[in-house]
Amino acid sequence: MKCLLVVLAVVACGPAAPVRTPAQRTEASAPVVAALQASKFDDAARQATAVLASDPGNARAAAVRAIATYQVSGNHLVDQLIQIIEKSNHLEFFDHAGGRAAWQGFLDQLAAIDRDLAVVAADPQFSLELCLACWTADWNHNGQIDEHDTRLFELEFDGKGGEIPQGDPRRRPTFRFDVGDADWARAMIAFQRAVGELVLAYKWSDLDKLFRAKDAPVLTLKLIDKPRVTRARELILAGLDYADRSRAAYLAETDDDREWVPNPRQHNHPMPLEVDDALYTTWAAVTGDIRRLLTSEDGLSIRQFAGLLEPHLVELAPDAYIDFGRLLSDPRDIVFDFTLIDRHEDASGTAAFLRGMLQSGYQTSMHPSALTSRLGQMKSQLDRDEDTFERKLRYLLWLN
């Protein structure tokens, strides 16, 4: 009886997938990687799909399909939107049926890309060598491959205050991507998916009044799909989790080989910028600040933030907070009533305007986020022309 049950179980489940060794997976994915390196993005995606059909755990094939799909789908989205914009008046393309379908198609592809990146992130032995600046493609969509395309991903500066000469091999480095970079990519994809969900959550056609109105108009962005805003919030939180995971993976690395994002102990990286412990500490603090904003533990002080932008704006800023948690968990129509600012050229007008725009996200009392003071410290250092810090700030923003 037990033997019969075992036989039935095997028949029902089908044959087990053969176990591949790392060497076998590297060999199977070699043509796929070569196609990607040669800028054959469609071919790379198709070949990767064939490899993954027989070996779903092949991380290199999954990484290639994720990268190639991102290039192809992003390129397709831009082409579609350009065509729609050319046929639309002003901002109507946002709500054009074709425009919304294009955004949804891109979102679907991003979800598929994330699934492939999950396969990559699950393989601690993953590695992939790529020279991004060596890719040949019409990145600016002008119908030809010109100088702007060929230099798009080149490194221009040497990290010592000088520029890398044209033709210098350092302009076109080869990176060795590893498992930490998979979570970095998942964070980037999650944030982009959140933006797409927010785009499709609202009806944008009222913004077209900006082109027709002679006086200060009242514009309303109608909320037409509330669940999309909820998904956007979940995706942002997921992106922060991936960012934290990638940072932990980077810090745990003991190798030092053409790193995409180095840790303070790694010095072999094509990006001409050394990182230090302070950068990683700030990176962790910023993701924590943003997470507390999204969970409504903290609020962004409107007055403090206005002061960061321009000191004179403090007089026009109300003593209130933006509650990003409620803004995304309890979304409503967004109303831009510019007449309020025209009638009250002081903090009261700004407060009334922001109440309409932020709705439930406008709060008069919250625990202030440390993010504003952290940004203030960064701005202070930038004002003192600390060039090294400025470059590290750009690095930090890119990481997040």
Side-chain angles (χ1 to χ4, degrees):
M1 184 64 180
K2 289 183 179 179
C3 292
L4 178 60
L5 291 176
V6 170
V7 171
L8 290 175
V10 170
V11 172
C13 297
V19 177
R20 266 77 169 189
T21 66
Q24 289 174 323
R25 283 178 164 168
T26 298
E27 181 181 1
S29 62
V32 178
V33 174
L36 180 62
Q37 292 170 333
S39 309
K40 299 177 181 179
F41 301 105
D42 286 303
D43 288 345
R46 282 194 293 269
Q47 293 179 35
T49 297
V51 172
L52 290 166
S54 59
D55 182 17
N58 192 314
R60 295 182 82 208
V64 168
R65 187 167 69 177
I67 295 169
T69 301
Y70 185 78
Q71 192 280 337
V72 171
S73 58
N75 188 68
H76 184 56
L77 173 67
V78 173
D79 284 340
Q80 286 182 299
L81 293 181
I82 289 174
Q83 294 176 14
I84 293 168
I85 292 170
E86 289 175 348
K87 298 177 182 178
S88 301
N89 294 320
H90 303 312
L91 297 174
E92 292 178 1
F93 72 91
F94 274 117
D95 295 312
H96 190 288
R100 300 189 77 85
W103 275 107
Q104 183 58 60
F106 185 55
L107 278 177
D108 293 341
Q109 290 299 317
L110 290 180
I113 290 167
D114 182 65
R115 290 192 292 271
D116 279 338
L117 290 174
V119 174
V120 181
D123 183 356
Q125 303 302 316
F126 164 76
S127 68
L128 176 65
E129 295 185 2
L130 278 180
C131 170
L132 307 186
C134 299
W135 280 338
T136 302
D138 180 16
W139 301 109
N140 58 13
H141 297 265
N142 65 355
Q144 60 183 348
I145 297 176
D146 55 26
E147 185 178 3
H148 296 289
D149 296 315
T150 57
R151 295 184 180 179
L152 179 62
F153 294 113
E154 287 189 354
L155 300 184
E156 299 180 11
F157 302 104
D158 60 8
K160 301 176 182 178
E163 185 172 337
I164 301 175
Q166 295 292 336
D168 190 310
R170 291 177 297 168
R171 277 184 166 256
R172 296 189 164 198
T174 294
F175 294 92
R176 182 181 181 275
F177 295 93
D178 50 32
V179 67
D181 300 316
D183 279 319
W184 175 89
R186 293 192 80 185
M188 179 190 72
I189 294 298
F191 296 144
Q192 292 185 11
R193 291 173 67 190
V195 171
E197 293 288 359
L198 291 174
V199 167
L200 293 176
Y202 290 89
K203 184 174 178 61
W204 299 81
S205 56
D206 220 32
L207 291 182
D208 203 45
K209 292 179 181 177
L210 290 171
F211 297 93
R212 300 193 304 263
K214 295 181 180 179
D215 300 316
V218 178
L219 311 176
T220 302
L221 302 185
K222 289 287 187 182
L223 178 63
I224 57 176
D225 197 337
K226 184 176 179 178
R228 287 190 182 275
V229 182
T230 301
R231 284 198 294 273
R233 178 179 179 275
E234 293 169 350
L235 284 165
I236 296 171
L237 288 170
L240 294 173
D241 289 340
Y242 296 138
D244 287 342
R245 284 168 52 176
S246 69
R247 186 177 62 256
Y250 291 145
L251 287 172
E253 289 181 6
T254 56
D255 65 331
D256 193 2
D257 185 9
R258 295 162 293 167
E259 304 296 334
W260 176 248
V261 178
N263 66 38
R265 300 177 304 280
Q266 294 171 318
H267 306 286
N268 182 356
H269 49 85
M271 290 287 188
L273 177 64
E274 293 287 335
V275 303
D276 52 24
D277 291 318
L279 180 71
Y280 270 81
T281 299
T282 303
W283 181 7
V286 168
T287 56
D289 291 339
I290 297 173
R291 186 177 284 105
R292 284 187 290 275
L293 286 172
L294 290 173
T295 55
S296 296
E297 295 174 64
D298 295 341
L300 186 69
S301 169
I302 297 172
R303 182 165 290 175
Q304 289 180 14
F305 189 73
L308 284 177
L309 299 177
E310 289 291 343
H312 72 272
L313 293 178
V314 173
E315 299 177 1
L316 300 175
D319 185 14
Y321 300 84
I322 301 177
D323 184 345
F324 285 96
R326 290 196 63 181
L327 193 65
L328 294 174
S329 62
D330 183 23
R332 303 174 190 179
D333 293 347
I334 301 174
V335 180
F336 299 94
D337 189 348
F338 294 100
T339 63
L340 294 171
I341 298 178
D342 275 3
R343 290 200 303 268
H344 307 282
E345 298 181 357
D346 55 20
S348 65
T350 307
F353 175 81
L354 290 175
R355 283 182 183 276
M357 185 179 75
L358 299 172
Q359 300 288 335
S360 61
Y362 185 92
Q363 298 293 324
T364 57
S365 178
M366 289 190 77
H367 183 271
S369 171
L371 183 62
T372 47
S373 59
R374 209 179 308 281
L375 292 175
Q377 293 173 359
M378 294 178 181
K379 184 175 184 295
S380 175
Q381 288 175 299
L382 292 179
D383 290 342
R384 293 197 296 269
D385 293 324
E386 298 183 12
D387 184 59
T388 299
F389 185 85
E390 180 177 2
R391 295 200 305 273
K392 288 184 179 180
L393 175 60
R394 292 175 184 172
Y395 208 160
L396 175 67
L397 296 175
W398 170 64
L399 288 172
N400 287 284

